[in-house]
Amino acid sequence: MSKRESKASGPDPSTETGAREGASEKAEERVRESFAKQGIMKLLGAEVVEVAEGRCVIEVPYSDELTQQQRYFHGAVAGAIGDSAGGYAALTLAPPDREVLTVEYKVNFLAPAWGERLVARGEVITAGGRLIVCKAEVVAISAEGEETYCAALQQTVATTPAEA
Amino acid sequence: MSKRESKASGPDPSTETGAREGASEKAEERVRESFAKQGIMKLLGAEVVEVAEGRCVIEVPYSDELTQQQRYFHGAVAGAIGDSAGGYAALTLAPPDREVLTVEYKVNFLAPAWGERLVARGEVITAGGRLIVCKAEVVAISAEGEETYCAALQQTVATTPAEA
Amino acid sequence: MSKRESKASGPDPSTETGAREGASEKAEERVRESFAKQGIMKLLGAEVVEVAEGRCVIEVPYSDELTQQQRYFHGAVAGAIGDSAGGYAALTLAPPDREVLTVEYKVNFLAPAWGERLVARGEVITAGGRLIVCKAEVVAISAEGEETYCAALQQTVATTPAEA
Amino acid sequence: MSKRESKASGPDPSTETGAREGASEKAEERVRESFAKQGIMKLLGAEVVEVAEGRCVIEVPYSDELTQQQRYFHGAVAGAIGDSAGGYAALTLAPPDREVLTVEYKVNFLAPAWGERLVARGEVITAGGRLIVCKAEVVAISAEGEETYCAALQQTVATTPAEA
């Protein structure tokens, strides 16, 4: 049986790989569902471009509406997608009956955010039952594909009982 | 002579009070000018509602476009106006030939941001020649005028040579 | 019965004031008991000089052993007593069957810490069931009693089940 | 052959590798010289165990004097050596006529610090002329050599004119 057919018939929870894939798909579904409900992410034009266990990447294309006074991406955009990328990375490791909530984050701005797109790569550092610590790097990517490291974020996320 | 006429003829730099008022007006002008150039602040619907020496208050009315998945104000909005309120508080104390730039900030989310308006009150803690440390509190205000303390932000701002 | 007699015979839990005083004494006892077990606080020569509900003040006298390369108090000392002052402020508001643990803190160094004593004043900003957010200011006090504001700290503390 | 002669015939500063090695030795010398002047590092029993360009590792052996109430290493020790490891990593990249100063740091405590030694690995994220952003990870190492990731630190360092 080919890999594709196997996938078409769904992950087999009896094998470890299958279970992991299933968990990962579930996590991606949770992330995309929650993300779609966030008015602010739509307003910013942000999109989830990757979800994996303990990892989430969010991207936003350049627009004049996202700038600070010198036409770079505003730090608020880096903060917003960095925080979200970290938070959703945490969600992928949270128990299924729990949601996540950012407790706090700290962000350093490293370079002017100049580019066609701003990309935030969130990653879990350590995951406990109640608290998950994450980091995110935010890079600006030029038309030529060159990356500039713009912001580094370190974050604490709490798991909370999901609302009924 | 009415207050208005007095103002029309401008503050008198020969008196200390006049000089201070002049400095303060200048600071407010700088803040409003810079703020007006920030695409993101317009997108969020944010407004500067108060500027004083070492202090700046920024406000944003509720809108469905500013929400997270449970219809509260998204933390990104609190972060954005908190960072700006702190940064502009710093600008009021920066030398006239200098601009300011957020080096980093840290924000704790204290309560769900539910209300008609979200208000960030930025304040300078200490101002050096090159670095200014600020804090900002972000409160949500209900239709009845009740305040909820939603976010506490601590921030480092650098002064930079203004662009030619 | 006079207030004093009432106090002499111990706090009366049937009156609000009595109950609060009792709670406060209990909190102070908890703080001092935990503090006494911390090897590092002894090593630094630190002392608890005040405990109240949601507040704790810790002090350390100057010594050559606490310095950085220019003979000021080392930032590590400010960080250590600032973190402790915040954490113990949190402990005064934690449920009796719970301990506290610093999740994270952020500290800005504002001025060289030069003086006879270094004093950290910790205070609770908001207290939830599981998480308590605190701040602490650290001041250096000269022989003449002049204060220099040296460090500002913002902190997240978690309550944890006390060990059996 | 004496050490001095060996050095004379040593790395040739006219080749890039030689220049770099020379720069690196100089950096290590600067770090060790500054470190030796810090009373607090001696008090904690801390040692510099590695210096490279943009990197510094500091270690402290376990002692009862470095504990919190449950006999783990106190968070203050992790904060102290993490801050120092980051700061000295920054110093290795600072211009020769400049010193460094921690502007601020943020630290997340990830796990109880239980082990024979506590090790902080500091690293520069980005280095500008005036500001250098660093991170440090602090691990506890057991007698068996097992590592526990205990604390993650993100830090801003300023370069300052060296004192005369």
Side-chain angles (χ1 to χ4, degrees), chain C residues 38 69 104-107 109, chain D residues 38 69 104-107:
Chain C
Q38 298 200 331
Q69 67 277 16
E104 60 83 36
Y105 68 82
K106 178 253 206 294
V107 59
F109 297 104
Chain D
Q38 298 200 331
Q69 67 278 16
E104 60 82 38
Y105 68 81
K106 180 254 206 291
V107 59

Side-chain angles (χ1 to χ4, degrees), chain D residues 139-163:
Chain D
V139 300
I141 304 184
S142 72
E144 293 75 32
E146 213 178 329
E147 290 197 5
T148 309
Y149 191 1
C150 298
L153 194 141
Q154 191 168 307
Q155 179 193 41
T156 310
V157 173
T159 61
T160 60
E163 307 233 331

Side-chain angles (χ1 to χ4, degrees), chain C residues 34-52:
Chain C
S34 166
F35 192 87
K37 289 186 200 151
Q38 298 200 331
I40 186 82
M41 289 298 140
K42 202 181 159 191
L43 185 69
L44 298 175
E47 273 179 65
V48 174
V49 293
E50 189 192 323
V51 182

Side-chain angles (χ1 to χ4, degrees), chain C residues 88-127:
Chain C
Y88 283 125
L91 184 61
T92 66
L93 299 185
D97 59 337
R98 298 215 153 208
E99 293 192 352
V100 296
L101 199 70
T102 298
V103 172
E104 60 83 36
Y105 68 82
K106 178 253 206 294
V107 59
N108 272 82
F109 297 104
L110 308 173
W114 180 250
E116 273 201 330
R117 296 174 291 150
L118 200 63
V119 178
R121 297 167 183 143
E123 209 175 298
V124 171
I125 299 180
T126 53

Side-chain angles (χ1 to χ4, degrees), chain D residues 28-161:
Chain D
E28 178 157 1
E29 208 182 292
R30 288 180 75 187
V31 168
R32 293 194 181 277
E33 206 177 300
S34 166
F35 192 86
K37 288 186 201 151
Q38 298 200 331
I40 186 82
M41 289 298 140
K42 202 179 159 193
L43 186 68
L44 298 176
E47 272 179 64
V48 174
V49 293
E50 189 191 323
V51 182
E53 272 184 76
R55 187 174 155 83
C56 178
V57 181
I58 293 176
E59 185 177 305
V60 68
Y62 181 82
S63 135
D64 279 347
E65 292 181 316
L66 303 180
T67 54
Q68 37 83 283
Q69 67 278 16
Q70 287 142 345
R71 322 311 294 164
Y72 300 121
F73 277 104
H74 196 284
V77 184
I81 65 172
D83 174 25
S84 285
Y88 283 124
L91 184 62
T92 67
L93 299 185
D97 59 337
R98 299 215 153 208
E99 294 191 351
V100 297
L101 199 70
T102 299
V103 173
E104 60 82 38
Y105 68 81
K106 180 254 206 291
V107 59
N108 271 84
F109 297 104
L110 307 172
W114 181 250
E116 271 200 334
R117 297 174 291 150
L118 200 62
V119 178
R121 297 167 182 144
E123 210 175 297
V124 171
I125 299 179
T126 54
R130 299 194 317 175
L131 293 171
I132 300 174
V133 180
C134 304
K135 64 180 173 181
E137 57 169 37
V138 182
V139 300
I141 304 184
S142 72
E144 293 75 32
E146 213 178 329
E147 290 197 5
T148 309
Y149 191 1
C150 298
L153 194 141
Q154 191 168 307
Q155 179 193 41
T156 310
V157 173
T159 61
T160 60

